[in-house]
Structures are given as structure tokens and as C-alpha cells.
Amino acid sequence: MIEENSCRPLPRAMSRNFKGLCQAWLSALAMLTLGASMLVLPWGVLVVVPLLLLTAAWLGEEGQVDAFPRREDLLLVAAMGLQGLIWAGMLWLHGEGASGLFNAWPFALAVVALMAFARVRVPATWLWAGLALSSLAASTWALWQRVIEGTARANGHEPLHAILFGNLGLLMGLLCFAGLSWSFARRERWPWSLLLIVGGLAGLLTSALSGSRGGWIGLPLAIWVLYRGHGRRLSLGWRVTLVAALMALLGSLYAMPQTGVATRVDNAVNSLRQYVAGDDEMTSVSARLEMWRGSSQLILERPLLGWGAKGYQTAMRERGAEGVQDPALGRFWHAHNDILDAWVKRGVPGLLALLALYFTPLWLFARGVGAGSGEQRALAVAGTLVPVAFIDFGLTYSFLTYPVGGLVYALLITILWGLYRQAR
């Protein structure tokens, strides 16, 4: 005889299955939103990503994920936390109140995203799909802006501008290429590989249409990271084919007048020649070189504690008024170089915090670039490319002085690490 209470565990099982389904959809939506809000949606939507992951984690159960946090997790949390604390603390020390929180909050939000991985498993499929589809959408938008709207440089949503838009587009394309180790290891390798390759090429096109030259400087290093992750497992024929295809693509982007690449490169070379020859004409290149010179001299005056954000602008204006540099440079609020900007405003603590922010994830990810499964290598390559790209972007522009730059960097690092640690 069957007792009436024999089926009582069924509702609990149904509830558990429903929670698991909701958790899967929330984590998938977080990954898709991450890709879309880097360029296609207004960047403020990025705030939703940690909240979605946190909600998915709330639906999780103890023991669902391996022990968290480990020593490596704490190192990453420390690097993020140190950057935020130094940014806020040093500006407070310079009498600027809570203004530093404007740049510090993205790193706190990223720590929340990382901690969510303690109770949620996220399929990497949604990350790669979101990056590839968003890269395609961003390149289509860039083409629309250049061809239909007739803008000189594709620039995306405000407050993004051509430099931020183009460099983030380039990063998105590089991340798509990073995912090829993952796609080649799948049963449906060709559809996914084709999507990622097209997404990668779309990222290069977005960068070209924006005319952002700074990101192109680091392309050789980025290509070397990709080769370390993928190339050594390809036959010699495939390597030669891919190198030839890449060279043909870059040559085409330079040769086509519609992209504006040749004009931008030629202008940069000519401007550098004029500056070396002593020409006083102010160009984007000479302005950067003069800002770097001015920032370096200010660092020598206050190397330990820096000048603060407002103090930096005031000192640069004074240099212009004294005739030491072009007065027009006083209107710029950052040094157009992340390392110089951190040092001149937040002193040695700011410099050390920035270096930790760069090299902690670089050390964590780079060890796995050439090892492990296809999924592990893809995530390790992507995690290595993010700091490599931001170091490159920060050479000619203060990328992390914008909250969007800090939020994109911090979220990408923490989410890629969360996925990487669960794939090992």
C-alpha cells in the first residue's frame, strides 16, 4: 500500500529545478549584457551585470562551486580593492573630499561580481556568444556612423568618444580571437569558430573606423599572446595562411581611403617629425608629448604624494601662464597616459596600485596560456589580453580615468577569472 506522504519530496525537487533554471538564465543574461553594454548599449547598463550574477548566486546552494576564495582569488580582490581605496584615499588626502569615489566604485562592483562566482557556475558559451554578436553590432554601427551619418570618426554612445569606442572595439575583437581554442574543442566547432572569427574581424573594423591610433601600437604583442595560446597547435600551413590573411586585412584597412587609417597614420608620423624638428604647431601628437613632459616634471616636484586631480590641473595651467608650455594644455584634465596620470595625481601609492591592477591578473592568467583544455586556454588568453590591451591603451590615453574604462577592465578581469577557475 502506497502511503500518501510518499510523494512529498517532489515539490522540493521541482523548486530546486526551477531555481537551477532561473540561475542558468540569469547568468546567461549577465554574460550577454556584458558584451552588449561594452559598446552597443549605454555603458551604464554594465552595472546590471554584477547584480544579475549576485541574484544567480543567491539562488545557488552551498557546495555547488569548489572552495572559494582561494589565495589567487584573494590576490585579485586585493588588487581591485587597493586600486579603489588608493584612488579615493589619496584624493581625500589632497582635500578633494569624496571625488575619488567616482573612479573607485567600479572596482568595488567588480569584487561583488567575483564573489558571486562562489555560488554560481556560468557556461562560457554565453560569454563568447555575447562578445561575438556585440562586436558585429558595434562594427555595423560604426559603419552607419561613418557612411550614413558622415561622421569623421565612429564614436558610439555619449560619453564615449572615438578613442574609447575604437579601443574597446579592438579589445572586443581580440577577445573573440581568444575564444578560438574554446570553439575548436567543441563538437560544433565550425559554426562557433566562424562566428568568433567574424566577430574578431569586426572588432578590427570598429577600431579602424574610429581612427583610434593608440590601440594599434600594442597589436604585435596581442598577436604574440594569441599565437602562444593557439598558434603552436596549428600546422605550419595554417600558420602561414593566418599570417597572410592578417597582413592582407591590415593592408586593406590601410589602403582603403574610406577607413581613414592611412590618413591618421600619416598625420601621426608627420606630427612627430614636426615636433622633433622644433615646430611649435600644436597637434594631437605634440600635445601628448608636451603633456607627458609637463606631468613628468610635476612628478619630480612631488613624487611621493602627487598633486591630486584639481592640483594637477591648476599646476598645468600655471605652467602655461608662465610660458613653460602651451597654455592650451591647461584645459586637459588628465595626462593622456595612465601611469603618469596615476603618479602625478596620487603619488607613489597610486603608481603601485595601478601596477598591481595590471600585473596581478597578468600573472594569474599568463601561466595558463599554453596549457590545459581548449576552454581553459581560451579564458587564459582572454584574461591575459585584457591587461595587455589596457596597458597599451594607457600609453597614449588615460583610459582608467573614465569610469567606463575602469568598469570594463574590472568586470572583464573578474568574470574571466571566475570562468577560468571553474574550468580548471
Side-chain angles (χ1 to χ4, degrees), residues 267-281:
N267 286 343
V269 172
N270 291 332
S271 297
L272 183 59
R273 287 174 178 169
Q274 291 174 7
Y275 182 80
V276 172
D279 194 327
D280 293 333
E281 181 183 358

Side-chain angles (χ1 to χ4, degrees), residues 18-196:
F18 179 73
K19 280 187 175 181
L21 183 63
C22 290
Q23 188 183 48
W25 280 108
L26 285 168
S27 59
L29 183 59
M31 296 300 98
L32 293 173
T33 304
L34 174 66
S37 50
M38 280 176 62
L39 287 179
V40 182
L41 300 176
W43 75 270
V45 181
L46 280 167
V47 176
V48 175
V49 175
L51 300 180
L52 289 171
L53 289 174
L54 199 61
T55 306
W58 176 72
L59 294 172
E61 298 181 1
E62 293 290 344
Q64 187 172 342
V65 179
D66 295 338
F68 189 98
R70 296 174 181 167
R71 183 177 65 90
E72 294 169 326
D73 306 320
L74 294 176
L75 284 175
L76 201 56
V77 169
M80 296 288 171
L82 181 64
Q83 174 72 355
L85 288 173
I86 293 297
W87 207 308
M90 291 304 294
L91 293 190
W92 176 82
L93 183 67
H94 286 290
E96 298 181 29
S99 62
L101 295 176
F102 183 69
N103 295 92
W105 67 266
F107 301 98
L109 206 58
V111 171
V112 171
L114 179 61
M115 299 307 292
F117 277 90
R119 296 187 61 167
V120 62
R121 285 193 173 274
V122 181
T125 304
W126 296 107
L127 171 73
W128 303 120
L131 289 172
L133 294 174
S134 299
S135 183
L136 285 167
S139 65
T140 303
W141 189 15
L143 278 170
W144 176 274
Q145 288 187 315
R146 287 292 303 274
V147 177
I148 305 301
E149 297 181 1
T151 57
R153 300 171 65 183
N155 51 27
H157 287 290
E158 293 184 358
L160 292 183
H161 48 67
I163 296 176
L164 294 173
F165 183 76
N167 285 343
L168 289 178
L170 176 61
L171 174 62
M172 193 175 290
L174 292 174
L175 293 179
C176 287
F177 288 134
L180 289 175
S181 288
W182 168 83
S183 64
F184 282 141
R186 294 181 63 85
R187 182 177 300 175
E188 318 88 352
R189 66 174 61 184
W190 292 115
W192 279 109
S193 298
L194 181 62
L195 177 63
L196 287 171

